[in-house]
Amino acid sequence: MIWVLVLVFVVCLVLRFPIAFSLGLACLSYLLVKGIPLIIVPMKMYSGIDVFVLLSVPGFIMAGNLMNYGGLTERIISFCNHLLGHIRGGLSLVNIGASMLFAGISGTAISDTASMGSIMIPAMKKEGYDTGFSCAVTAASSTVGPMIPPSVPMIIAATLSGLSVGKLFLAGALPGLLLGVGLLFTAYFISKKKNYPKHERSSLGQVVRGFIDTFWSLLMTFIILYGIIGGIFTPTEASIIAVLYALIIGLFVYKKLNFKNIQVVILDSMKTSASLMVLVGFANLFGYILITEQIPQTISSEILGFTTNKYVVLLLINLLLIVVGTFMETIAALLILFPILLKVALAVDVDPIHFAVIAVLNLIIGLTTPPVGVCLFVASSIGKISIGEVAKSGFPFLIVSFVVLILVTLIPEISLWLPNLFTE
Amino acid sequence: MLHKNIGRVLKYGVLISTWGLISTVVIQIICRFTPIATPSWTEEASRIFFIYAMAFAAGLAMKSNYYVHLDMFYSRFSKKFQHLLLMAIPIISLVLFLIMAIYSMRFVMLGFAEKSPSMGFNMGVAFFSMFIMSVSICYYLVIKIIKNFRK
């Protein structure tokens, strides 16, 4: 009967039903065919959302949005401009550098592409950069966001696996930085080849002033990490501390927030979170059905029947996740596939934290992989060019992302060094 | 008028629940760092506020098209088929959430027999959030269907 579940889900996805509703309709069809009482729908929905760690999701989204409304994006860009603007292709480096700093605040790739792209793409076009290159840099750099803490996909992975959120945040940091540095070098070499412009070197005073301007927002990432890893706060408490901190900074330091736009930010953040939680709720029901049908066990034994070589298994998982990541939203893909694939990974002795990093990295690289990477779509709509042109210009960045993925897959220490260091 | 009021109820529901969530977590943190013992109800209260915030916001998210979908194949369909899908998707989705709304009420009834562990309130109150979630999504789906037919 599992074919009913899969068939309805795939058909609904193809016909452009929202992903959450596709899951719901697939589950509903399965339950009707199987004659299982439908009261299980609200029951599983409720139990899926009623998880304490998930309370941190709206908190981190809200803190990021409050910081953004408080004028953080412009300040980060300005600081990076003082720091990197004098190098050849300065604005492309600023774009990546700002994404790395902004990553600590926003936590999602699509919001990073949208907020950074709306400022950086027009600015780069104005300075004579190719539109395709401007869009490609923006899309590629936004994938750093979900790796550097706080990361919403990592919270979801922690919820699904029972792993520590703090350890997962730390595990994603180094691969995120590696990806960011790789993208910086790629942008530099392309800029040098195409002779893109550079700015005057900023004075030390300007750099210091830029740093002071962004210091308060960067401190937020430190407070979150220190609080969780130091055992001072739970992830949920850390997210609320981040909200209060962002409110104080926005009201009294940046002075851009007021009562009216605080309400707007809350509503906007809660709508984003609710759309995720409906997905989480239906995914919980979907997962329950998969478990009752013993699908994770079947897939696990099928793969392990084919090979028990750890690296071949990881290669197969990487390929699957990249393909899924190109067309499916990161959280949705994680909710559906992570519990199943984790079982396979554990069977070949892959550390669960290492595997969570691999899974998230795959899915976010998928966001910039043609033909349908979501970040490519967002960037191309801001730059008003075809997705094909963005994909063509983004090819070198994609190669670098794959190299980082291979390194992270083959060398577990890249992911595990920081969590081990701090827990020891 | 009714449409505006429903929107307002959901909006204030989100805002009150969110501030409730923030306040309870703040109480929890303050108690941790002071000699005051952390009240046992804070975790449960914050979870209820969170679930209600999500329930109220789910309908508003429907209204503002926050639910992500896959665009890969849609552009390849004929205009006629795209138009047909535009009409059919909200109707089929409405069926899903109507069923969920009906069964949510049964879920609420089940909850009446249970008490929450630390606050001692009726669990039906907590489960009622699922009814609000499904009914608010249904409401904005109906609005969407009416708009589509008018177009």
Side-chain angles (χ1 to χ4, degrees), chain A residues 165-401:
Chain A
V165 174
K167 279 188 181 178
L168 282 181
F169 276 1
L170 280 174
L174 215 52
L177 288 176
L178 196 64
L179 185 61
V181 172
L183 296 177
L184 276 173
F185 275 106
T186 314
Y188 173 72
F189 287 124
I190 294 173
S191 301
K192 214 170 171 191
K193 197 177 158 198
K194 295 202 170 179
N195 205 24
Y196 283 138
K198 59 178 179 179
H199 293 168
E200 294 264 308
R201 186 186 282 273
S202 299
S203 67
L204 185 65
Q206 283 174 311
V207 176
V208 171
R209 268 197 299 279
F211 176 73
I212 293 169
D213 239 13
T214 49
F215 171 76
W216 297 107
S217 47
L218 301 179
L219 188 64
M220 188 167 98
T221 310
F222 176 77
I223 293 173
I224 293 168
L225 268 183
Y226 183 75
I228 298 175
I229 293 145
I232 303 166
F233 316 126
T234 62
T236 301
E237 289 168 353
S239 74
I240 298 299
I241 291 278
V243 169
L244 293 178
Y245 179 84
L247 273 173
I248 293 167
I249 299 296
L251 282 169
F252 304 112
V253 180
Y254 295 160
K255 292 179 182 157
K256 286 245 181 136
L257 288 179
N258 54 43
F259 181 75
K260 207 176 170 188
N261 57 26
I262 288 172
Q263 309 306 323
V264 172
V265 173
I266 290 179
L267 279 173
D268 185 46
S269 311
M270 285 313 194
K271 281 191 263 182
T272 308
S273 308
S275 65
L276 286 178
M277 289 310 141
V278 172
L279 187 65
V280 168
F282 281 130
N284 190 42
L285 177 60
F286 192 81
Y288 166 79
I289 294 172
L290 291 184
I291 289 168
T292 51
E293 288 277 349
Q294 297 197 314
I295 298 302
Q297 290 90 327
T298 312
I299 291 178
S300 178
S301 58
E302 284 294 323
I303 292 178
L304 297 173
F306 171 67
T307 177
T308 49
N309 183 311
K310 180 178 170 177
Y311 297 103
V312 178
V313 169
L314 282 176
L315 177 74
L316 290 173
I317 291 176
N318 277 349
L319 286 174
L320 172 71
L321 288 173
I322 283 282
V323 172
V324 172
T326 54
F327 64 84
M328 197 181 273
E329 201 265 336
T330 313
I331 309 276
L334 211 54
L335 284 164
I336 297 163
L337 291 174
F338 187 71
I340 300 172
L341 297 177
L342 180 64
K343 200 170 171 53
V344 182
L346 290 176
V348 288
D349 286 333
V350 178
D351 186 283
I353 292 179
H354 179 210
F355 182 70
V357 174
I358 294 175
V360 174
L361 188 58
N362 266 299
L363 292 172
I364 59 160
I365 291 174
L367 291 173
T368 58
T369 307
V372 277
V374 184
C375 287
L376 292 181
F377 261 113
V378 177
S380 68
S381 65
I382 297 171
K384 295 184 179 65
I385 53 166
S386 75
I387 194 165
E389 285 174 81
V390 184
K392 201 175 152 192
S393 303
F395 190 67
F397 298 106
L398 198 60
I399 297 288
V400 170
S401 303

Side-chain angles (χ1 to χ4, degrees), chain A residues 94-109:
Chain A
V94 169
N95 196 336
I96 298 165
S99 281
M100 287 169 79
L101 294 182
F102 189 69
I105 320 294
S106 85
T108 56

